[in-house]
Amino acid sequence: MTAHEVDYHIYGEEMQYVEIELDPQEAVVAEAGNFMMMDSGIRMETIFGDGSGQDQGIMGKLFSAGKRLLTGESLFMTVFLNEFQGKRKVSFAAPYPGKIIPIDLTAYQGKFICQKDAFLCAAKGVSVGIEFSKKIGRGLFGGEGFIMQKLEGDGMAFVHAGGTLARKELAAGEVLKVDTGCVVGFTQTVDYDIEFIGGIKNTVFGGEGLFFATLRGPGVVYIQSLPFSRLAGRVWSAAPQAGGKQKGEGSVLGGLGNLLDGDNRF
């Protein structure tokens, strides 16, 4: 194996974290901001890119880091190396309520495609790269643009999904239609495209967007029930407006609306 072989355990239900056990000289790489805690004896170091091109000189490092700019991520990642003589543990937390998905890349022919912000951490040696969409419709209207992340190698990687997770195994030719924001990731054998919902009423009054994703098997697909964009939108719409007042607050109609909503603050 080119990637480090790590053991892990996932804790929690709604707000999960993954604890990774490192043997001496084993390491794990993670996105900045995902670190939770670690044992003594583990050295933390900031590196260019994902560390998979570190043995290819300065050009390998720059290329590895440059790929991350295209996905909107930082140039840098953090590597956690166990320098202790025994086993040590390091933990990474999910950024919002949902599930952490362990991805054994050897089970998926060494490649898994996911949303740009889904990656949490991986064994050192796993390459975190970019996957360009070859279809114009998917690139323009797919919610993820022309670029998604691809995880390549023969180690363990961990991605995060919002809300409740659904894992679907599609047979050859089987099609699953999904809201574009609810797609977490899929194996390289799945054909991913965008389809127009159609219909004047659906388009104008549907409230579900103009497009949904079509995923055609064979392969495995992971679906999330609560995309972060949807969660953020609900929080923003429910947040008090400027000056600490809600919409309509301070007027007769605003007070009546609050009463009907079950909020008796006038």
Side-chain angles (χ1 to χ4, degrees), residues 27-258:
V28 60
V29 294
E31 292 284 5
N34 292 333
F35 169 71
M36 179 179 173
M37 61 182 174
M38 65 181 177
D39 294 337
S40 61
I42 294 179
R43 178 168 61 88
M44 182 175 66
E45 181 182 356
T46 301
I47 60 173
F48 271 118
D50 54 28
S52 59
Q54 301 299 299
D55 58 346
Q56 300 175 12
I58 185 63
M59 292 305 298
K61 295 180 181 181
L62 290 175
F63 181 71
S64 175
K67 292 185 298 182
R68 295 175 51 76
L69 282 180
L70 295 176
T71 62
E73 304 291 347
S74 168
L75 279 172
F76 301 95
M77 296 184 75
T78 308
V79 60
F80 298 82
L81 173 65
N82 179 14
E83 297 183 322
F84 195 68
Q85 296 301 315
K87 296 179 182 291
R88 300 278 88 180
K89 295 177 180 178
V90 58
S91 301
F92 303 94
Y96 52 91
K99 299 295 182 182
I100 295 175
I101 312 168
I103 303 293
D104 184 358
L105 292 174
T106 58
Y108 298 136
Q109 293 78 50
K111 182 179 179 181
F112 186 81
I113 302 167
C114 62
Q115 286 187 3
K116 291 181 291 187
D117 58 352
F119 175 71
L120 192 68
C121 60
K124 188 177 181 183
V126 171
S127 173
V128 184
I130 56 176
E131 179 77 7
F132 284 100
S133 173
K134 299 177 182 178
K135 299 181 179 180
I136 296 297
R138 171 179 160 186
L140 294 178
F141 308 111
E144 293 300 321
F146 287 95
I147 302 172
M148 296 183 76
Q149 268 187 337
K150 63 179 178 181
L151 309 175
E152 293 182 297
D154 53 8
M156 290 295 304
F158 301 88
V159 298
H160 180 258
T164 302
L165 177 70
R167 183 183 187 273
K168 299 290 186 179
E169 293 192 25
L170 303 181
E174 183 180 0
V175 176
L176 183 67
K177 297 181 179 181
V178 185
D179 181 273
T180 55
C182 291
V183 179
V184 179
F186 46 87
T187 57
Q188 58 181 316
T189 56
V190 172
D191 180 50
Y192 173 46
D193 204 354
I194 296 299
E195 183 175 322
F196 179 59
I197 291 178
I200 296 298
K201 289 190 295 183
N202 289 334
T203 301
V204 179
F205 305 110
E208 296 296 338
L210 301 180
F211 304 88
F212 46 61
T214 58
L215 303 160
R216 185 181 301 273
V220 176
V221 178
Y222 288 94
I223 308 297
Q224 59 186 349
S225 66
L226 185 62
F228 180 71
S229 58
R230 186 178 297 176
L231 173 63
R234 292 297 179 91
V235 171
W236 176 257
S237 64
Q241 305 301 305
K245 293 185 177 182
Q246 296 181 348
K247 292 180 180 178
E249 189 172 354
S251 66
V252 174
L253 292 178
L256 180 60
N258 288 337

